[in-house]
Structures are given as C-alpha cells and as structure tokens.
Amino acid sequence: MTSPEKLQFGLDTFGDVTVDATGHPVSQAQTIRDVVAQAELADEVGLDAFSVGEHHRKDFSISSPDIVLAAAASRTERLRLGTAVTVLSSDDPVRVYERFATLDAVSNGRAEITLGRGSFIESFPLFGFDLSDYEVLFEEKLELFRMLTEEKPVTWSGATRAALENANVYPKTENGFPVWVGVGGSPESVVRAARHGFGLMLAIIGGSAARFRPFVDLFHRSLETFEQPARPVGVHSQGHIAETDQQAWDELYPAMEVSRNTIGAERGWPPFSRMQFQQDVGPDGATYAGSPETVARKIAATIVALDLDRFDLKYANGAMPHEQLMRSIELFGTRVVPRVRELLATGS
C-alpha cells in the first residue's frame, strides 16, 4: 500500500447549482464563482487536488472545466487542478490536449486530466455526435490523446475525425501532466486504461468499495501484460462532512434526494428514499457522509481494501448552500485527511 504520507486526497465537483441561505437557487454564474472560492479553500487547508466535471445541463454549471481551473490556478499555489471527467468522446483530442497544456503552463505545472465517456449523454447531440458510435469515439480519441501526450509529431487516422500527418501540437508542456481514465465498473475500460498507460480513477457511487478490488487487481495485471510502468489507482465517491453524523446526513439528504430523483426520472430509477440513503452512508455504502471521525474511518477502510494512491471526495451533491460546502471542505482538509493518515500509520 502507498505510504500514508504519500497518499493524495482531492475534491471533486460538477458545479451543482446551489441555493442561498434562504433556499433560493443561485445563478450558474455565481455557482461557478463559488467553485473557484472552494478551490481556493481546498488549497489553503492542504489538500492535494481539485477536479471539476464537465456537464451540459441546467443542474450543473460547469461546461468548460479548463476555464474554471485556469481561474482557480490564479488563486491557488500547490493544488493539482484536474477534471472529473472530461468527456473526450464528444470533444476533439487535439483541442483538449492544447487546452490542458495551456492550463499546465498558467498553473506552473499543476494540471491533470481524467478522461471518460461520461455518464450523461447531453454532449453527444449538442456537438453533433451519434450515440451509436459511443464505443469507437472513445477508443479512437483515447488512442490519439495518448499519442499527443508524447509531444512528438503525430501521424494518425481513424473514422471519427480528420487524419493527422506528422502534425505538431502546441504549446509543449515542461514536464507533461498526469492523465487518468475514469471507470465506472467495466473490465474492458480497466484494461483500456492500462493499455494506454494512464492512471485508473474508479467512480464508486453505489455498493461496497471492496467489490471493486478485482478491478484494481486486473489493472495491475494488465499494466504488466502491456509492459507499462506502475500507474496510480484512485477512487471518486460522493460525501459530505459536518460536526456530527446527524448534521451531515440532515444537510446532505434533501439535496441528494432532489438530484437523484431528477436524474432518476430521466433514467427510470425508483424514487430515492431516506432508507436507501442511510444504507449508502453506512459502512458498506458508497456515500462518505458524517462526522470527521466517521468519514475518516470509512475512507481509511476503502484505501486499505483497494490499495489506493488517491481518494477524491465528491463534496457537492445537489443544491447545497455554498457555506455548507465550504465547511465540509474545511473539515475534510483539517480533520479528516490528518485522521486518515493517522489511522493508516497506526493500523487502527
């Protein structure tokens, strides 16, 4: 297992449109400004990474992660700045690489990116892509992106975009930047990440984290098979922290209920219930919500079970007030992370 002092801890957000102190929704513009302030606080409390997801719908405010991250770069000093995720299938790999190479420059080498197909499909019709090409779009574009990371002239051809012949892409980075592939639980996706030599970021949003151990083992075996060097494994899971378990649950549940039911109505899910929520925040659930001690012990157990290098908490989960999110971030950095390191160091 990665030594406790070398473990990385990050925060993820989709820029969920929030509410003010009276419960009224704030604008998407204000939500974006608040996200930048949240990144600034994450830097101040000593966290390692801050990632924003790409979405194209009214309940999430961030459609251009690199712009938000560039704003965050101007107000932070050490925080790694990445995505959760960039929907590569409906974007152009050359433009994505250029944007994040630029972010790496303005942040003084702090950019990273997590590539994925996305769990939402709004970007496909919006940018003129056919969902029937879902698999080939990601496979081809991920291959091209991997070639671009070498920062050498690229010759490539495929079915999803114009061919490249000895093409250079600018700007060049000074030291490259970390690339992850976001995976929701498909063995094929795990093997794909290993084949390209990228890090593995597991999105665990339901059930016990321990059930993902076969995917971690498959990833390490696949890296060896493809003769790739060791690559990190991380987890992205949702949660919220407050002074007590009950306070955290009471703050999180109403927002999560609305968010889950809104998305569930689109996908045919049954209504979200308080009983399901309490199962999710329990020891075998995928929601890390509670007091600092409760959350720290659950994160530590997940790190041990999966032999992780990184744990990212998706701290925004529905329309929660900015002030609650800021307090959650503060507690995560000042109390949860130090406690996790302590628990791992002592084997408690």
Side-chain angles (χ1 to χ4, degrees), residues 205 238-240 252 256 260 277 280-282 285-289 298:
I205 58 175
Q238 60 204 3
H240 178 65
L252 177 59
M256 184 174 282
R260 284 282 192 91
F277 174 81
D280 290 343
V281 300
T287 300
Y288 294 72
K298 190 168 181 178

Side-chain angles (χ1 to χ4, degrees), residues 7-29:
L7 283 165
Q8 292 188 338
F9 295 89
L11 290 169
D12 296 346
T13 179
F14 298 162
D16 305 53
V17 174
T18 56
V19 294
D20 61 21
T22 66
H24 290 91
V26 303
S27 67
Q28 290 186 326

Side-chain angles (χ1 to χ4, degrees), residues 12-347:
D12 296 346
T13 179
F14 298 162
D16 305 53
V17 174
T18 56
V19 294
D20 61 21
T22 66
H24 290 91
V26 303
S27 67
Q28 290 186 326
Q30 183 59 52
T31 299
I32 290 170
R33 291 190 287 270
D34 288 343
V35 167
V36 174
Q38 291 155 16
E40 186 175 16
L41 177 59
D43 193 55
E44 292 173 359
V45 298
L47 295 172
D48 300 297
F50 189 87
S51 301
V52 299
E54 174 195 348
H55 291 83
H56 303 269
R57 46 187 292 136
K58 65 180 181 180
D59 41 350
F60 301 129
S61 64
I62 299 172
S63 59
S64 300
D66 48 302
I67 300 297
V68 177
L69 294 170
S74 70
R75 293 169 57 175
T76 58
E77 296 181 358
R78 56 178 299 276
L79 203 63
R80 295 211 65 87
L81 300 165
T83 57
V85 299
T86 292
V87 185
L88 187 64
S89 304
S90 57
D91 210 328
D92 183 82
V94 174
R95 294 293 292 134
V96 172
Y97 196 82
E98 288 178 337
R99 295 198 302 266
F100 279 84
T102 302
L103 173 64
D104 197 60
V106 300
S107 66
N108 196 24
R110 294 187 285 131
E112 62 178 37
I113 189 169
T114 301
L115 303 170
R117 291 179 290 187
S119 60
F120 294 83
I121 61 171
E122 288 84 359
S123 64
F124 286 80
L126 185 63
F127 299 117
F129 293 97
D130 193 330
L131 274 173
S132 65
D133 296 328
Y134 189 78
E135 291 291 339
V136 68
L137 281 166
F138 190 63
E139 181 58 57
E140 285 198 357
K141 292 185 177 188
L142 191 64
E143 177 192 34
L144 175 54
F145 194 90
R146 191 269 308 161
M147 295 172 71
L148 293 167
T149 64
E150 298 175 5
E151 298 198 337
K152 299 175 182 177
V154 171
T155 296
W156 177 92
S157 63
T160 56
R161 59 148 289 148
L164 298 174
E165 180 68 33
N166 204 36
N168 260 304
V169 174
Y170 304 100
K172 304 297 185 184
T173 65
E174 293 174 324
N175 297 293
F177 53 81
V179 180
W180 304 74
V181 174
V183 174
S186 161
E188 294 80 10
S189 296
V190 172
V191 173
R192 180 189 290 120
R195 175 160 51 86
H196 289 294
F198 295 148
L200 178 69
M201 183 61 70
L202 293 166
I204 302 180
I205 58 175
S208 170
R211 69 188 178 93
F212 282 77
R213 181 66 204 218
F215 294 110
V216 175
D217 295 337
L218 174 62
F219 181 64
H220 291 310
R221 290 198 307 271
S222 298
L223 287 172
E224 293 180 1
T225 298
F226 296 119
E227 299 182 344
Q228 295 282 7
R231 292 292 184 242
V233 177
V235 158
H236 152 109
S237 285
Q238 60 204 3
H240 178 65
I241 307 156
E243 295 295 342
T244 67
D245 289 348
Q246 195 64 52
Q247 180 184 351
W249 299 340
D250 289 346
E251 289 176 353
L252 177 59
Y253 175 72
M256 184 174 282
E257 179 189 33
V258 172
S259 178
R260 284 282 192 91
N261 286 340
T262 298
I263 297 168
E266 301 169 1
R267 301 186 180 186
W269 297 346
F272 191 59
S273 68
R274 186 70 188 232
M275 181 178 294
Q276 181 182 344
F277 174 81
Q278 293 301 150
Q279 291 176 339
D280 290 343
V281 300
D284 294 324
T287 300
Y288 294 72
S291 69
E293 181 69 16
T294 295
V295 174
R297 287 191 173 276
K298 190 168 181 178
I299 291 174
T302 297
I303 290 170
V304 171
L306 299 182
D307 192 15
L308 297 179
D309 303 282
R310 169 115 155 235
F311 183 91
D312 282 5
L313 181 74
K314 183 180 178 290
Y315 69 92
N317 303 280
M320 301 177 69
H322 173 60
E323 292 74 19
Q324 289 181 1
L325 299 179
M326 292 289 273
R327 182 57 175 158
S328 183
I329 291 169
E330 181 183 6
L331 291 171
F332 186 59
T334 61
R335 293 174 59 181
V336 173
V337 170
R339 182 61 173 146
V340 172
R341 296 192 196 278
E342 180 184 29
L343 290 168
L344 295 174
T346 60

